[in-house]
């Protein structure tokens, strides 16, 4: 028996991103206006059990967090709650742990738990749901790789940071007639590289979704030289596969697993281009700068709508669903569906077509062709689980 006021719980799981605090604020304010209490569990799912750790949330606590990066609740992408490993392989969470989490929520009078997370954290939420725990999901990730939603918040801020980096690299690359390689995050989806590459005037964009070769990258650089543009900006997604196959791990070795730490492709591209062309090539790895800092206005807006809508789902008892953005509005979908369909860049999508039309290279044989040569009508751009 609970002696608490009906309460909504919220937690932030997985890697952080700009906009998490905007969700917490929106959910808290909405819950308060509906007459619910609100608490935030600390360090992601870890705060649910041994030791149970949480903080009360109200509109005074969340008063100044809209524009703050990170999450006031803390987060964890390691620990006892793991539901995905390797290539999206499901791992069963210990039922004892799930039962303890259920007990915690019952004791605190939590009638619904809002889980904010990417595919890994939403996969945990799904297992909580299957265990009978009342959860709703809110999708976040800078990678923008969840098929159920046209955009996740955090993505736009990451793209803005990467675009700003390209703007800065542009002037120094031009001054020194250098090839500059910018490595960006995104895991196994090339969304950040594609959007920042286009917005920041990149010349070559290397994506996980488009096989590429060093020959084609070098050809593009020489083509630009011949046009009198003796500098080139290459944007490499951390998950872009090497021409020989395999992604590059954080320690520089090729790998094939999904939850591994990616990183190092930029140095490899720079080294190879430098060796082949005898040119000065420099690399910048943007890393976690893409995850920190203030959310853009778009991300604050999206996160705010997500937070308010998540409380609505709890209020209406629609558990096992996640909020999502399907333009023009916010709606919801089963969490199970959201984690099943990951979204990657469609190589024939409209953004790639537009980039090619401008002469941006992707390091493949499609470089250098006539704009829209294949006569393909523009497509939404999502390869998997795309938004109609
Ligand atoms: O999923 C978000 C993300 O930033 C990826 O783009 C990146 O590969 C990964 O997380 C990095 O994770 P960590 O912070 O654990 O190194």
């Amino acid at each position: 028996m609970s002696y608490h006021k009906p309460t909504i719980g919220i937690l932030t799981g997985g890697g952080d991103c700009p906009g998490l605090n905007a969700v917490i604020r929106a959910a808290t304010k909405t819950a308060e206006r509906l007459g619910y209490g609100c608490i935030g569990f600390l360090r992601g799912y870890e705060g649910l059990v041994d030791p149970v750790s949480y903080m009360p949330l109200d509109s005074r606590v969340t008063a100044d967090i809209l524009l703050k990066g990170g999450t006031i609740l803390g987060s964890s992408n390691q620990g006892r709650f793991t539901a995905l490993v390797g290539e999206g392989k499901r791992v069963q969470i210990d039922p004892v742990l799930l039962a303890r989490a259920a007990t915690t929520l019952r004791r605190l009078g939590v009638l619904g738990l809002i889980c904010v997370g990417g595919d890994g954290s939403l996969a945990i939420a799904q297992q909580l749901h299957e265990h009978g725990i009342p959860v709703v999901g809110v999708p976040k990730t800078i990678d923008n790789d969840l098929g159920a939603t046209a955009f996740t918040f955090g993505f736009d801020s990451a793209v803005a940071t990467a675009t700003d980096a390209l703007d800065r690299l542009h002037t120094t690359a031009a001054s020194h007639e250098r090839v500059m390689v910018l490595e960006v995050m995104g895991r196994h989806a090339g969304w950040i590289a594609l959007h920042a590459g286009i917005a920041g005037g990149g010349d070559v964009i290397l994506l996980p979704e488009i096989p590429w070769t060093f020959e084609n990258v070098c050809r593009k650089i020489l083509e630009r030289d011949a046009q009198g543009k003796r500098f080139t900006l290459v944007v490499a997604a951390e998950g872009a596969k090497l021409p020989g196959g395999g992604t590059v791990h954080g320690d520089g070795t090729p790998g094939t697993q999904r939850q591994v730490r990616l990183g190092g492709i930029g140095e490899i591209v720079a080294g190879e281009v430098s060796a082949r062309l005898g040119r000065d090539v420099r690399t910048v790895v943007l890393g976690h700068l893409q995850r920190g800092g203030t959310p853009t206005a778009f991300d604050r807006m999206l996160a705010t709508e997500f937070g308010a809508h998540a409380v609505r789902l709890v209020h209406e008892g629609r558990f096992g669903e996640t909020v999502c953005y399907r333009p023009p509005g916010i709606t919801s979908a089963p969490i199970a569906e959201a984690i099943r369909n990951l979204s990657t860049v469609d190589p024939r999508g409209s953004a790639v077509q537009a980039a090619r039309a401008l002469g941006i290279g992707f390091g493949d044989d499609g470089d250098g062709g006539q704009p829209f040569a294949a006569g393909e009508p523009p497509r939404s751009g999502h390869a998997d689980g795309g938004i109609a």
Side-chain angles (χ1 to χ4, degrees):
M1 171 124 156
S2 168
Y3 298 98
H4 294 267
K5 171 178 178 179
T7 294
I8 292 179
I10 183 163
L11 61 81
T12 50
D16 71 339
C17 72
L20 287 168
N21 285 325
V23 176
I24 295 167
R25 169 181 173 270
T28 301
K29 291 185 82 164
T30 308
E32 200 171 77
R33 297 193 71 241
L34 283 167
Y36 296 115
C38 204
I39 59 173
F41 289 95
L42 306 180
R43 288 175 289 105
Y45 291 92
E46 294 297 306
L48 291 173
V49 286
D50 304 336
V52 174
S53 44
Y54 64 92
M55 63 187 275
L57 293 171
D58 61 33
S59 52
R60 272 165 310 175
V61 175
T62 62
D64 60 354
I65 65 171
L66 174 62
L67 65 167
K68 276 193 184 153
T71 161
I72 59 166
L73 300 177
S75 189
S76 168
N77 55 5
Q78 285 155 356
R80 296 166 291 175
F81 289 85
T82 299
L84 285 183
V85 291
E87 296 278 347
K89 195 169 148 269
R90 179 180 159 127
V91 183
Q92 189 59 48
I93 300 170
D94 182 355
V96 175
L97 211 54
L98 292 172
R100 286 198 192 140
T103 305
T104 300
L105 295 171
R106 228 177 6 256
R107 284 211 184 115
L108 293 171
V110 173
L111 80 159
L113 178 66
I114 298 171
C115 304
V116 190
D119 62 336
S121 300
L122 291 181
I124 298 170
Q126 174 62 19
Q127 289 201 29
L128 263 58
H129 171 63
E130 289 167 13
H131 193 82
I133 296 173
V135 297
V136 304
V138 173
K140 67 87 218 180
T141 166
I142 63 166
D143 304 338
N144 199 37
D145 60 355
L146 291 170
T149 183
F151 288 104
T152 51
F153 68 86
F155 171 66
D156 187 62
S157 304
V159 169
T161 300
T163 302
D164 178 60
L166 280 169
D167 291 346
R168 291 166 191 276
L169 289 177
H170 199 135
T171 54
T172 176
S175 303
H176 290 270
E177 301 191 335
R178 272 181 176 145
V179 176
M180 292 284 209
V181 182
L182 178 70
E183 177 181 311
V184 299
M185 283 185 164
R187 209 169 268 286
H188 295 279
W191 292 113
I192 298 177
L194 179 64
H195 283 227
I198 293 173
D203 306 300
V204 179
I205 304 174
L206 303 178
L207 302 176
E209 295 87 350
I210 300 180
W212 54 275
T213 65
F214 288 113
E215 289 74 24
N216 287 330
V217 173
C218 291
R219 187 178 315 128
K220 176 56 79 178
I221 294 167
L222 294 175
E223 189 185 299
R224 285 178 53 78
D225 280 358
Q227 294 165 350
K229 298 172 184 161
R230 293 195 48 81
F231 70 95
T232 295
L233 294 180
V234 179
V235 185
E238 63 176 3
K241 295 174 198 73
L242 289 170
T247 46
V248 184
H249 286 198
D251 61 3
T253 57
T256 52
Q257 293 218 315
R258 186 157 159 268
Q259 304 285 3
V260 292
R261 205 163 101 209
L262 295 167
I265 183 86
E267 258 323 316
I268 292 178
V269 171
E272 191 66 29
V273 169
S274 176
R276 288 178 185 229
L277 299 181
R279 292 278 302 267
D280 197 8
V281 184
R282 302 297 173 90
T283 314
V284 173
V285 180
L286 212 44
H288 291 81
L289 288 175
Q290 293 156 102
R291 292 235 304 254
T294 300
T296 58
F298 178 84
D299 278 341
R300 292 183 207 185
M301 169 69 187
L302 189 59
T304 298
E305 283 207 57
F306 276 2
H309 202 85
V311 170
R312 178 181 186 160
L313 292 182
V314 173
H315 187 59
E316 294 175 358
R318 290 159 60 189
F319 299 115
E321 294 188 25
T322 179
V323 298
C324 51
Y325 175 43
R326 290 186 176 163
I330 305 295
T331 179
S332 61
I335 296 175
E337 182 191 315
I339 54 180
R340 200 169 36 242
N341 298 326
L342 288 186
S343 156
T344 53
V345 172
D346 181 351
R348 289 169 299 159
S350 59
V352 175
Q353 285 193 43
R356 286 197 196 279
L358 268 69
I360 296 173
F362 288 89
D364 65 345
D365 293 338
D367 287 0
Q370 286 298 305
F372 314 120
E376 287 257 358
R379 303 189 342 173
S380 73
H382 289 254
D384 307 322
I387 308 303

